């Protein structure tokens, strides 16, 4: 069994982001505290900031737009940086970008709305990562449904209070997660709530 000793626990308040280091062999749980809350996620190789989890490479390496237990989270160098080892929900997205300043400005006419892009950058700041453009996210618990025409319909997440995904780091990684700040669409069930991160020891 997994040696589930909690080494670090971080609450991500609604409308905010947080980042943690997950050492090689250790586990990261991303917990949906109240349910129906999307977590936008980026992941960097701690020793090579030019390598990061890359959704477009994941779609290619997995030949899929869905994630299953045992799948690798592939990087732009086409190798997995983490593996998803446990998933109590079974529905996630790695197709959509993080919500950002322009999403709220262009689509809603709002200049000051919190957004995942800025939440993630703020959370990563203390780690002094060198990158030019924030990578695209995996959106844990995001429930995009493909209709018969091949168009996406965004539905509220299927996650219930306490649902989680557990990831294992294959190298030392820096991970940031944002409690998606979108409260003007169904993506978080019209209400933004907290998430929790737990870093667990390896076997
Ligand atoms: Zn968002």
């Amino acid at each position: 069994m997994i040696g589930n000793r909690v080494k670090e626990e971080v609450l991500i308040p609604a409308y905010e982001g947080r980042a943690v280091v997950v050492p090689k062999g250790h586990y990261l749980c991303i917990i949906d505290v109240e349910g129906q809350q999307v977590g936008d996620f980026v992941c960097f190789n701690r020793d090579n900031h030019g390598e990061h989890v890359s959704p477009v490479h994941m779609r290619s390496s997995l030949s899929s737009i869905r994630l299953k237990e045992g799948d690798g989270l592939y990087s732009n160098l086409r190798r997995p940086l983490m593996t998803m080892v446990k998933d109590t929900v079974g529905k996630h997205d790695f197709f959509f970008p993080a919500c950002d300043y322009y999403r709220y400005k262009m689509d809603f006419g709002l200049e000051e709305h919190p957004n995942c892009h800025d939440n993630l950058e703020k959370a990563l700041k203390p780690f002094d990562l060198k990158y030019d453009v924030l990578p695209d996210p995996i959106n844990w618990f995001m429930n995009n449904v493909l209709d018969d025409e091949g168009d996406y319909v965004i539905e509220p997440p299927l996650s219930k209070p306490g649902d989680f995904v557990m990831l294992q780091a294959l190298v030392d990684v820096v991970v940031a997660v944002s409690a998606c700040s979108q409260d003007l669409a169904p993506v978080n069930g019209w209400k933004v709530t907290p998430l929790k991160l737990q870093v667990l020891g390896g076997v």
Side-chain angles (χ1 to χ4, degrees):
M1 260 314 282
I2 295 165
N4 284 350
R5 274 195 316 142
V6 177
K7 307 227 164 186
E8 185 178 1
E9 185 168 277
V10 177
L11 184 75
I12 308 173
Y15 299 99
E16 295 189 23
R18 293 289 186 274
V20 292
V21 170
V22 188
K24 178 180 177 179
H26 285 50
Y27 297 84
L28 174 69
C29 269
I30 302 168
I31 303 163
D32 188 351
V33 177
E34 297 183 23
Q36 295 200 327
Q37 176 60 47
V38 170
D40 288 42
F41 161 106
V42 294
C43 171
F44 290 86
N45 180 342
R46 191 174 70 167
D47 298 320
N48 173 12
H49 301 165
E51 183 177 26
H52 54 80
V53 168
S54 170
V56 66
H57 292 90
M58 286 175 59
R59 297 194 292 269
S60 171
S61 292
L62 298 170
S63 294
S64 184
I65 57 168
R66 72 187 177 104
L67 270 172
K68 306 172 297 299
E69 287 181 357
D71 280 347
L73 309 188
Y74 286 83
S75 78
N76 53 324
L77 304 188
R78 296 187 183 259
R79 63 167 186 161
L81 296 184
M82 305 188 86
T83 303
M84 183 171 75
V85 295
K86 179 97 177 126
D87 177 13
T88 67
V89 178
K91 194 70 202 295
H92 311 283
D93 169 78
F94 51 111
F95 198 88
F96 276 55
C99 63
D100 54 19
Y101 168 81
Y102 297 98
R103 167 73 165 133
Y104 297 101
K105 179 179 168 59
M106 302 304 288
D107 296 341
F108 300 98
L110 298 174
E111 298 268 3
E112 306 283 342
H113 198 283
N115 66 80
C116 288
H117 177 277
D118 292 354
N119 292 346
L120 292 168
E121 287 213 318
K122 189 174 173 193
L124 288 168
K125 208 153 210 141
F127 295 86
D128 200 25
L129 293 172
K130 306 281 185 287
Y131 63 89
D132 294 326
V133 177
L134 189 72
D136 285 340
I138 297 173
N139 301 302
W140 298 109
F141 314 123
M142 187 175 183
N143 183 17
N144 293 330
V145 180
L146 265 183
D147 70 14
D148 292 342
E149 305 291 317
D151 294 330
Y152 268 127
V153 180
I154 299 177
E155 303 273 0
L158 302 175
S159 46
K160 298 180 294 301
D163 271 331
F164 67 92
V165 292
M166 180 184 279
L167 314 172
Q168 185 175 30
L170 303 178
V171 300
D172 293 350
V173 291
V174 179
V175 166
V177 179
S178 167
C180 180
S181 302
Q182 176 56 278
D183 50 10
L184 304 164
V187 60
N188 299 303
W190 302 98
K191 185 181 169 206
V192 178
T193 55
L195 297 170
K196 190 156 61 174
L197 302 178
Q198 285 181 340
V199 180
L200 308 166
V203 283

